[in-house]
């Protein structure tokens, strides 16, 4: 007789428990949908930036006078990202190419497109003699430049050309090739002073 009452009671408990699980699953699905909607609302945006002085803007990010979560520069664009991963993209001049050079003695890092807010070179605040000639032997740069806090020297060179660069510092020298074509990187970290 006890079994007659025990089996229905057990089934009733199982049904109530299953319903509770369904409710928990439904609540979990609703919570995930709400989170997904929040993420969709926070989807980063990309906007086209406008400035009358792109070189000044790049220089300000490079020297930390203007700050951003991240700022990087390709052969065609300055890309600035805020804390919410929203991007503002600025077009670079059609006739000039930005290049940032970090000469080094002991330490360097691999790099293609320069991070104005992240790349760090070894030689900070050092005077570097810079000589740059084009393929015809015309001198474009012949001056002593001081590396910034990030250890880099920033230059704007004519696009779509090949150059020979020579750097010297404290009795050490290095020479190499630079090119300013669309597929080229903007970060040069391979020039070791010896």
């Amino acid at each position: 007789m006890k079994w007659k009452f025990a089996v229905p009671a057990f089934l009733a408990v199982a049904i109530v428990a299953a319903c509770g699980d369904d409710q928990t699953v439904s609540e979990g699905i609703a919570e995930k949908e709400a989170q997904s909607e929040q993420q969709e609302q926070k989807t980063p945006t990309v906007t086209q930036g406008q400035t009358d002085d792109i070189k000044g803007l790049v220089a300000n990010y490079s020297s930390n006078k203007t700050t951003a979560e991240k700022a990087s520069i390709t052969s065609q664009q300055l890309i600035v990202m805020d804390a919410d991963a929203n991007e503002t993209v600025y077009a670079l001049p059609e006739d000039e190419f930005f290049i940032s050079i970090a000469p080094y003695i002991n330490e360097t890092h691999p790099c293609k497109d320069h991070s104005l807010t992240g790349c760090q070179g070894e030689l900070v605040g050092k005077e570097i003699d810079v000589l740059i000639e084009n393929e015809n032997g015309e001198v474009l740069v012949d001056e002593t430049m001081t590396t910034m806090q990030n250890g880099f020297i920033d230059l704007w060179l004519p696009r779509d050309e090949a150059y020979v660069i020579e750097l010297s510092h404290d009795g050490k020298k290095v020479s190499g090739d630079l090119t300013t074509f669309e597929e080229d990187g903007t970060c040069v970290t391979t020039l070791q002073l010896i």
Side-chain angles (χ1 to χ4, degrees):
M1 187 77 111
K2 290 182 181 179
W3 287 103
K4 287 182 183 179
F5 295 110
V7 171
F10 177 74
L11 287 174
V13 169
I15 290 170
V16 169
C19 290
D21 287 344
D22 285 346
Q23 185 177 2
T24 303
V25 169
S26 295
E27 289 171 0
I29 291 171
E31 187 176 317
K32 286 183 181 180
E33 287 175 354
Q35 288 174 351
S36 178
E37 286 176 19
Q38 287 175 349
Q39 287 176 347
E40 286 177 16
Q41 292 172 356
K42 291 185 178 181
T43 299
T45 61
V46 177
T47 58
Q48 186 66 43
Q50 299 294 324
T51 181
D52 291 333
D53 184 15
I54 189 66
K55 290 182 179 182
L57 186 60
V58 169
N60 285 341
Y61 280 115
S62 199
S63 62
N64 291 321
K65 290 179 183 173
T66 301
T67 59
E69 190 70 19
K70 292 181 183 177
S72 61
I73 191 164
T74 69
S75 65
Q76 299 293 315
Q77 300 174 322
L78 167 64
I79 303 163
V80 179
M81 185 180 297
D82 67 17
D84 294 324
N86 297 310
E87 288 184 0
T88 304
V89 178
Y90 299 87
L92 298 181
E94 292 181 11
D95 57 343
E96 291 181 279
F97 189 97
F98 173 86
I99 196 160
S100 197
I101 302 167
Y104 74 100
I105 297 171
N106 299 308
E107 296 178 19
T108 191
H109 65 278
C111 188
K112 182 179 188 291
D113 290 326
H114 185 55
S115 171
L116 299 168
T117 55
C119 283
Q120 182 62 52
E122 174 188 2
L123 302 175
V124 175
K126 303 296 183 188
E127 289 190 350
I128 309 289
D129 293 324
V130 180
L131 177 65
I132 300 176
E133 296 180 356
N134 66 14
E135 290 179 304
N136 300 325
E138 180 185 348
V139 175
L140 278 80
V141 178
D142 185 5
E143 63 182 277
T144 300
M145 304 176 84
T146 302
T147 57
M148 296 177 289
Q149 278 187 314
N150 63 3
F152 282 80
I153 295 169
D154 291 348
L155 299 165
W156 291 89
L157 298 172
R159 285 186 180 274
D160 301 325
E161 291 194 37
Y163 302 95
V164 174
I165 183 170
E166 184 178 290
L167 305 174
S168 57
H169 165 73
D170 200 26
K172 296 177 174 22
K173 285 186 173 188
V174 63
S175 61
D177 297 323
L178 297 177
T179 54
T180 58
F181 297 97
E182 186 174 343
E183 67 276 2
D184 289 326
T186 57
C187 189
V188 177
T189 57
T190 55
L191 296 172
Q192 183 178 19
L193 293 159
I194 299 173

